[in-house]
Amino acid sequence: MMELFTGLGLLLVVLLVFSLFSLKMPKGQLAMSGMADAAIASFLVEAIHKYILGNALSIPFFLEVGNNAGSLGGVAAAILVPINMGVNPVLAVSAGLAVGSFGILPGFLAGYVVAFLAPLMEKKLPEGVNIIAGALVAAPTAYLVAFLVNPVVSSVLEQIGGAITVAAEQQPIIMGFLLGGLMKIVCTSPLSSMALTAMLGLTGLPMGIAAIACVGGAISNGVVFKRMGYGNTSNAIAVVLEPLTQAVIVTSHPLPVYSGSFLGGGLAGIAAAALGIVNNAPGTASTIPGLLAPFAFNDPLKVCLAIVLSLAGGLVGGVVVAEIFRRLPSERAHVSIHMADLPLSMQECSGSEG
């Protein structure tokens, strides 16, 4: 039981740190969004092309594509974080190429530092010279930051990932519910569950729980949206496929949505733990990759059963949470809300990529 509390406690600490970074650091939300994009560009491509099309279907071309994409998560983060923060793409790419041997979190931190240094170079130097000098300064700066933080970051994340793995092996059902619920909350929030699981290096049963939980919890989100009247049918479908596209609505009604995420994800996580679903593709904690990646590492019939049970759990979780909140006076006024009633700016935001 001590391993259970240790694993979950360390995971909560990581979530707290990233939440505080996103909310309190300068341009923190933009930086976190850049890292989420980097996880999609690298780990999602790796999961589908390497493990499904490459390994499972034995297509060497896609195996190579997936290998290349998955090995460059740090490069993607060091490029997309500064670009998302408004840095000249040339300087961002210079920073990214310099950190090719580092993981996504060192790359993220390197890109974040370069994002504040690059504008100073552009302003202080003459036009034309600023790009050349900026590229020459951004590259070693990014490498230095990644080099300095990598030993500590790698050690800490490895310990946290190990603690979660031990807890899942010793208390699979309890960990299935708690880890599944927490991961689905992260998947629904502006944080990136794909980036988080990739940084922690989760594999095996914990990654299987996280992947299946994101599938089942997605149904909970859709049910909560539909039954609570958050937006229209298109919004309910969109939150199932990619929660970040509905960030405006999610952040407007966090308690019902996150409660549905936790309960639905937790029930789906129990199904994954009970069936022993393993997933050795880190960074696939999202609806679509979570649906596909387990097929590369488990008996297909067992995966199908886990998915069916997770969808049932997600449906139950969504209905239960929606019925509870529909009976609360503070939520009754929201039941009839549709996208046509929302301000135009919110409609545009909810329809864009998160």
Side-chain angles (χ1 to χ4, degrees):
M1 189 62 70
M2 181 58 66
E3 289 80 6
L4 176 66
F5 289 118
T6 301
L8 286 175
L10 291 173
L11 177 59
L12 289 173
V13 169
V14 173
L15 294 178
L16 177 61
V17 169
F18 277 99
S19 297
L20 290 175
F21 184 97
S22 179
L23 295 173
K24 301 298 183 181
M25 294 296 288
K27 298 186 177 181
Q29 291 185 346
L30 291 174
M32 292 300 296
S33 178
M35 184 165 68
D37 292 341
I40 294 172
S42 55
F43 302 124
L44 175 60
V45 173
E46 178 188 36
I48 303 302
H49 289 313
K50 177 180 178 179
Y51 296 109
I52 302 298
L53 300 177
N55 286 344
L57 299 183
S58 302
I59 305 177
F61 172 80
F62 289 107
L63 178 63
E64 189 66 20
V65 171
N67 275 328
N68 290 338
S71 66
L72 296 175
V75 173
I79 293 174
L80 289 172
V81 168
I83 287 179
N84 217 41
M85 295 170 67
V87 170
N88 186 301
V90 174
L91 306 186
V93 172
S94 298
L97 295 179
V99 299
S101 58
F102 297 99
I104 189 170
L105 187 53
F108 164 76
L109 295 173
Y112 186 72
V113 171
V114 168
F116 290 100
L117 175 65
L120 298 177
M121 300 288 294
E122 290 190 87
K123 290 180 181 178
K124 299 296 183 181
L125 297 175
E127 187 174 352
V129 176
N130 55 4
I131 299 299
I132 298 173
L136 294 176
V137 172
T141 300
Y143 182 87
L144 179 62
V145 172
F147 176 79
L148 292 176
V149 303
N150 186 61
V152 176
V153 165
S154 299
S155 176
V156 171
L157 293 180
E158 184 178 343
Q159 291 182 17
I160 296 173
I164 293 173
T165 299
V166 171
E169 292 173 349
Q170 296 191 0
Q171 301 286 342
I173 302 301
I174 298 176
M175 197 65 175
F177 180 75
L178 296 177
L179 179 61
L182 286 174
M183 281 299 176
K184 185 54 197 175
I185 288 179
V186 178
C187 183
T188 308
S189 75
L191 300 176
S192 172
S193 54
M194 294 179 66
L196 177 63
T197 52
M199 287 187 299
L200 295 176
L202 291 188
T203 57
L205 182 58
M207 192 62 241
I209 291 171
I212 297 297
C214 287
V215 176
I219 300 300
S220 293
N221 290 340
V223 171
V224 169
F225 264 50
K226 188 66 176 176
R227 295 181 73 88
M228 296 298 294
Y230 299 155
N232 54 30
T233 301
S234 296
N235 299 104
I237 295 173
V239 80
V240 171
L241 298 177
E242 177 46 71
L244 293 180
T245 63
Q246 305 303 306
V248 171
I249 298 179
V250 170
T251 53
S252 299
H253 307 283
L255 194 54
V257 176
Y258 290 148
S259 296
S261 294
F262 183 81
L263 183 56
L267 294 175
I270 290 176
L275 291 171
I277 300 297
V278 298
N279 181 2
N280 293 324
T284 52
S286 188
T287 307
I288 296 175
L291 179 69
L292 298 177
F295 283 100
F297 308 103
N298 303 272
D299 178 81
L301 293 178
K302 187 165 70 171
V303 176
C304 289
L305 178 58
I307 291 172
V308 169
L309 293 175
S310 73
L311 296 179
L315 179 63
V316 169
V319 170
V320 168
V321 168
E323 288 305 306
I324 291 174
F325 280 92
R326 280 165 61 92
R327 286 168 169 74
L328 297 179
S330 61
E331 290 293 334
R332 286 176 184 168
H334 298 302
V335 172
S336 61
I337 291 179
H338 293 284
M339 281 303 294
D341 303 318
L342 295 175
L344 181 60
S345 60
M346 292 182 67
Q347 294 182 38
E348 292 173 349
C349 290
S350 64
S352 62
E353 293 295 323

